[in-house]
Amino acid sequence: QKEVEQNSGPLSVPEGAIASLNCTYSDRGSQSFFWYRQYSGKSPELIMFIYSNGDKEDGRFTAQLNKASQYVSLLIRDSQPSDSATYLCAVKDYGQNFVFGPGTRLSVLP
Amino acid sequence: EAQVTQNPRYLITVTGKKLTVTCSQNMNHEYMSWYRQDPGLGLRQIYYSMNVEVTDKGDVPEGYKVSRKEKRNFPLILESPSPNQTSLYFCASSLAGYYNEQFFGPGTRLTVL
């Protein structure tokens, strides 16, 4: 069974700090990797995606991918209370189906 | 506006009464999927479809049916709902290909009494 794992949290960081969210996946055939943010009771919304090894930056967000280690991470710089949400890691497998991790709950303390 | 729509948004029903939750997208997406989300369990995939007339089971398909007769629509059918199907349901769609994101509908909150 293809698995995507994340620490469930909650991860608490002070306002202005860097939040680091991690995700590992079991299927080496996975092709692309997505980070979604979900507020309670709302639908997930895409933050960013990555498909090549290395770093990808978009504003305060940086995604990092290491396919050899089957590891993807999301860094949030200058964390704000509005970043408090659940962050879902999703992997698109070789068959083009999405597999989601359980999510990490982030709490940014003012 | 490009979007995924779901109806109804909220539904309270009773055990055994058949229901259908509709999902429609206007982005000409090939891929569509249904998820349920329960506290502490994340998003769990029920069924997905790669294109018209092509559907596959996800992780938790028991008690659900789907059909994909048209590209834009992907209804979720509960033939005989039970209380353990009380959940928040999301429909999502995506273009085919590895580098396309999935867009989510607003969700349907279902309560089965």
Side-chain angles (χ1 to χ4, degrees):
Chain A
Q1 175 141 355
K2 299 168 187 174
E3 293 184 343
V4 176
E5 297 185 349
Q6 300 177 251
N7 290 328
S8 60
L11 172 67
S12 295
V13 300
E15 184 174 356
I18 295 175
S20 177
L21 305 163
N22 304 316
C23 173
T24 59
Y25 58 95
S26 63
D27 181 13
R28 284 195 174 274
S30 299
Q31 298 293 313
S32 49
F33 309 86
F34 303 79
W35 283 100
Y36 284 83
R37 177 176 62 199
Q38 185 180 27
Y39 295 109
S40 181
K42 302 296 185 183
S43 54
E45 53 181 347
L46 182 74
I47 297 175
M48 59 191 310
F49 70 92
I50 186 169
Y51 52 85
S52 298
N53 277 329
D55 295 0
K56 180 181 178 182
E57 188 173 317
D58 184 0
R60 295 187 296 115
F61 300 95
T62 299
Q64 300 173 315
L65 175 62
N66 184 326
K67 288 187 177 181
S69 300
Q70 296 175 241
Y71 173 89
V72 59
S73 66
L74 179 71
L75 300 178
I76 307 174
R77 289 182 298 281
D78 188 24
S79 295
Q80 301 298 309
S82 58
D83 294 326
S84 298
T86 296
Y87 289 80
L88 302 169
C89 173
V91 171
K92 206 167 192 183
D93 65 21
Y94 191 74
Q96 298 191 43
N97 189 30
F98 287 86
V99 182
F100 278 83
T104 297
R105 192 154 53 93
L106 173 66
S107 178
V108 180
L109 307 173
Chain B
E1 180 189 355
Q3 58 183 347
V4 179
T5 56
Q6 295 179 228
N7 283 292
R9 294 287 314 280
Y10 302 90
L11 179 62
I12 300 175
T13 189
V14 295
T15 298
K17 186 176 181 182
K18 181 180 179 180
L19 67 92
T20 299
V21 183
T22 64
C23 173
S24 183
Q25 50 90 8
N26 61 2
M27 296 170 279
N28 202 35
H29 286 174
E30 292 85 2
Y31 175 96
M32 297 186 75
S33 182
W34 275 104
Y35 300 89
R36 62 176 290 174
Q37 189 170 41
D38 304 289
L41 294 179
L43 281 172
R44 293 185 292 167
Q45 191 177 50
I46 303 171
Y47 272 95
Y48 64 99
S49 169
M50 290 297 183
N51 214 324
V52 177
E53 302 291 3
V54 180
T55 61
D56 279 296
K57 295 178 180 178
D59 298 319
V60 289
E62 296 78 18
Y64 304 95
K65 284 176 56 177
V66 293
S67 68
R68 187 92 183 272
K69 293 183 170 55
E70 303 166 283
K71 198 172 187 179
R72 63 183 293 127
N73 296 323
F74 192 43
L76 180 69
I77 303 156
L78 285 71
E79 295 268 5
S80 183
S82 63
N84 64 12
Q85 292 177 299
T86 293
S87 188
L88 178 59
Y89 291 86
F90 290 106
C91 179
S93 71
S94 169
L95 283 170
Y98 292 117
Y99 310 121
N100 297 299
E101 68 175 285
Q102 192 166 197
F103 293 85
F104 283 82
T108 295
R109 190 167 291 280
L110 172 66
T111 301
V112 183
L113 302 175

